[in-house]
Amino acid sequence: QVNTMNGNGINNLKPKSSSIAESVQRARDTFNRGVTRPIKWRLQQLNNLLRMYEENRNAMIEALQKDLRRSKMEAVLLEVDYLINDLKSTIHHLEDWAKPEKPEKGFVNMLDEVVIYNDPYGVALVIGAWNYPLQLLLLPVSGAISAGNTVILKPSELSVACANFVAETLPKYLDNDAVIVIEGGPQETTELLKQKFDYIFFTGGTSIGKIIYEAAVKNLTPVTLELGGKSPVYIDNTVDMVVTAKRILWGKFINAGQTCIAPDYVLCTREVQDKFVAAAKKILKEWYGSDAQKSPDLGRIINGRHFNRLQAIVDASKDKIVIGGSYDANDKFIEPTILTDVTATDKIMQDEIFGPLLPIVPIENAFEAIQFINEREKPLVLYVFSTSKKVLSSIVDNTSSGGMCVNDTMMHMGVETLPFGGVGASGIGAYHGKKTFDTFTHKKSCLIKNFSPIGEKLASGRYPPYTDSNINF
Ligand code: NAD
């Protein structure tokens, strides 16, 4: 059921609950008929999807521009080409990934076959977030297809142009009985979650993640929860400060800070804080000019609700702002803003910021940074800027986070061989590269015996009547 939305992201035409149930049933019937299992079908669909990306590059860039005023560069780098490259790699490796695996076997099974089959789960549900509305939705969708599942996908209702693009375009390229788009918000998602799925892949905030997990429990449905949280950055005094500031500011202000792995806050000494702020002032002027609102390279806040949330943080932090601090509600613009001498009790430190505001919390040393991090929920990523091996290893060994990136931000996401995901409050499970295929695959273990008389003789000691001669004490 594809419905339409108005400019505010409100449904004009709400799908009836029966149509959601019918869509899921259609996907289940398709899976049960075995349509999606053959590698040939999977490759055909993935190639169609690749064609969709290549033929609709401009439409994708335009939709991102409409929803987030995303610059072309960021749209291509983080969504369109990211999806294309991932898909090309999946297509290239799929036959190899999908082959039954032959793990090592012991002496007792020398004459047997020991196999792990890569089995699709069945019907997968993929729920997307609005901040990278194409990448975060379509990457798991292609993963689910590559593993031989049927998929129901629900784009975020907040990124209206991208949701409409997906709902209108995807059905023109993919098997409509196997890949089905459902548009809508919390109400439709609630209805969806009443259905039985074989896998649920959710990207979004931690609080909604808990709702999804609770719904999945009813059917013991396995889940991947790609959630958020406050990702810290630790900087010490051994770094090249100009390069450090560039890498942090880029990761923070890309997509106007609305990135799950954006550096949320900085921990450093007051001396490092001063050097960082001095470098940041120059860099931001170089990048965005003296009137940042006029820069074509800065995105906008997704909607009025999120804008008001961020404006309230800026208003509550006025005395700590050293760079930026202006905003324009009509344009949903918030200037790249840096705050110093922030404390753990300040408003900005209570929740994930998800906007272009960067607080710096002064601490004395790496040991204090570790303590600060460990007193809070486990972050999605922990950033460390240091050239000291000792500092790095003490942070690696004494903290827990979904992932880490050292001396850069965001770039770990582009390494195909690094699984991407959270831990604790920042999520469950991971994906990217082969891990995406594995996420949507059940590893079905199988022992295949034969009837060889030698094998039977070797194993015959297991049959009653039991004698102690076959066991060692
Ligand atoms: P969100 O949790 O508000 O929404 C995500 C999805 O859940 C949407 O499709 C939405 O329609 C649905 N939803 C909303 N309310 C619901 C309800 N009551 N019941 C059922 N479904 C509901 O998240 P968001 O605002 O779209 O995204 C921002 C959050 O996502 C941030 O916390 C960010 O860190 C996180 N995020 C994580 C990753 C990652 O890869 N780990 C990537 C992007 C965003």
Side-chain angles (χ1 to χ4, degrees):
Q1 169 84 33
V2 173
N3 62 348
T4 55
M5 291 182 177
N6 68 21
N8 299 321
I10 298 161
N11 292 315
N12 289 329
L13 208 167
K14 291 216 166 73
K16 292 191 200 94
S17 58
S18 63
S19 67
I20 284 181
E22 274 164 23
S23 297
V24 179
Q25 188 57 47
R26 183 150 55 95
R28 186 160 300 287
D29 291 344
T30 307
F31 182 76
N32 288 343
R33 287 203 313 276
V35 174
T36 58
R37 282 181 179 263
I39 300 295
K40 194 175 157 208
W41 182 91
R42 303 184 204 180
L43 284 173
Q44 179 204 53
Q45 295 298 309
L46 296 178
N47 277 306
N48 287 352
L49 191 58
L50 183 58
R51 194 160 53 80
M52 176 183 121
Y53 295 155
E54 286 170 345
E55 288 176 0
N56 293 278
R57 274 178 123 239
N58 287 338
M60 291 164 86
I61 293 167
E62 267 168 38
L64 289 162
Q65 170 81 23
K66 266 194 203 153
D67 284 334
L68 291 146
R69 223 202 70 158
R70 184 79 67 78
S71 68
K72 191 172 174 183
M73 166 79 179
E74 288 181 17
V76 170
L77 186 72
L78 296 165
E79 309 235 19
V80 185
D81 278 7
Y82 194 89
L83 283 167
I84 289 176
N85 292 337
D86 173 78
L87 198 45
K88 281 185 177 165
S89 168
T90 303
I91 290 168
H92 177 74
H93 289 110
L94 186 60
E95 288 198 25
D96 192 37
W97 291 347
K99 272 199 306 238
E101 294 161 31
K102 300 276 175 83
E104 276 185 27
K105 53 185 181 180
F107 177 74
V108 239
N109 298 112
M110 284 313 278
L111 300 172
D112 309 323
E113 275 188 77
V114 173
V115 192
I116 300 169
Y117 293 105
N118 285 307
D119 226 16
Y121 277 106
V123 185
L125 170 64
V126 174
I127 302 174
W130 53 263
N131 58 333
Y132 290 86
L134 299 174
Q135 191 225 114
L136 297 175
L137 180 74
L138 297 174
L139 203 93
V141 166
S142 62
I145 297 171
S146 73
N149 301 277
T150 56
V151 198
I152 302 285
L153 59 145
K154 198 212 72 75
S156 170
E157 72 282 15
L158 301 189
S159 39
V160 183
C162 287
N164 287 341
F165 165 80
V166 170
E168 279 161 24
T169 318
L170 207 75
K172 293 182 191 153
Y173 289 83
L174 298 185
D175 181 337
N176 286 260
D177 289 329
V179 184
I180 301 170
V181 186
I182 308 270
E183 280 195 273
Q187 195 189 328
E188 290 72 16
T189 315
T190 305
E191 199 53 46
L192 264 172
L193 291 170
K194 289 183 188 154
Q195 316 302 315
K196 184 179 189 312
F197 290 96
D198 302 295
Y199 202 92
I200 299 179
F201 190 108
F202 169 81
T203 304
T206 303
S207 56
I208 311 293
K210 288 180 186 170
I211 297 176
I212 306 292
Y213 204 11
E214 218 174 307
V217 161
K218 284 194 307 274
N219 292 308
L220 289 179
T221 303
V223 293
T224 295
L225 302 175
E226 291 285 339
L227 310 178
K230 288 178 92 63
S231 294
V233 186
Y234 173 66
I235 316 174
D236 75 9
N237 60 2
T238 64
V239 298
D240 176 329
M241 190 51 82
V242 173
V243 177
T244 295
K246 276 187 183 164
R247 292 177 181 175
I248 293 173
L249 298 176
W250 179 74
K252 181 71 194 189
F253 297 126
I254 201 165
N255 202 29
Q258 303 164 109
T259 304
C260 57
I261 49 170
D264 190 271
Y265 62 94
V266 172
L267 295 169
C268 62
T269 61
R270 284 211 155 76
E271 184 202 346
V272 171
Q273 172 177 273
D274 291 346
K275 286 188 191 156
F276 179 84
V277 170
K281 262 188 191 139
K282 281 196 195 134
I283 294 162
L284 291 176
K285 191 143 189 221
E286 238 173 74
W287 285 358
Y288 306 124
S290 46
D291 183 356
Q293 195 170 358
K294 293 209 177 93
S295 163
D297 300 329
L298 276 172
R300 294 299 186 260
I301 306 305
I302 184 78
N303 62 17
R305 183 169 63 83
H306 281 282
F307 178 87
N308 293 339
R309 180 180 62 77
L310 291 161
Q311 186 196 324
I313 299 177
V314 174
D315 290 345
S317 318
K318 283 261 182 279
D319 54 330
K320 298 198 169 169
I321 293 174
V322 290
I323 299 179
S326 73
Y327 49 73
D328 177 354
N330 292 327
D331 191 19
K332 294 203 271 313
F333 169 78
I334 296 202
E335 188 181 3
T337 298
I338 297 181
L339 299 83
T340 53
D341 297 324
V342 172
T343 63
T345 52
D346 286 347
K347 187 175 172 68
I348 196 164
M349 289 304 291
Q350 303 319 306
D351 292 304
E352 181 180 9
I353 298 167
F354 228 57
L357 315 173
L358 182 66
I360 306 178
V361 181
I363 39 111
E364 292 299 324
N365 49 40
F367 176 73
E368 249 188 57
I370 291 169
Q371 266 189 327
F372 193 94
I373 292 158
N374 288 343
E375 280 163 6
R376 287 162 177 77
E377 297 286 11
K378 294 180 180 183
L380 185 56
V381 50
L382 171 54
Y383 294 114
V384 178
F385 284 78
S386 173
T387 56
S388 157
K389 289 214 164 79
K390 215 171 127 204
V391 165
L392 178 58
S393 70
S394 72
I395 294 179
V396 169
D397 292 346
N398 293 292
T399 59
S400 175
S401 57
M404 283 188 70
C405 182
V406 178
N407 297 331
D408 211 334
T409 65
M410 305 265 296
M411 299 306 282
H412 60 299
M413 195 189 83
V415 183
E416 203 184 289
T417 45
L418 284 179
F420 177 87
V423 61
S426 57
I428 295 174
Y431 69 136
H432 285 189
K434 181 173 187 294
K435 184 71 184 163
T436 312
F437 172 86
D438 285 340
T439 286
F440 287 99
T441 297
H442 168 59
K443 300 277 172 184
K444 186 162 76 180
S445 297
C446 184
L447 169 68
I448 306 175
K449 300 281 285 188
N450 59 40
F451 290 101
S452 118
I454 306 168
E456 179 59 10
K457 191 153 186 223
L458 278 176
S460 62
R462 68 179 157 154
Y463 300 131
Y466 301 131
T467 61
D468 284 354
S469 60
N470 287 321
I471 42 176
N472 300 318
F473 282 103

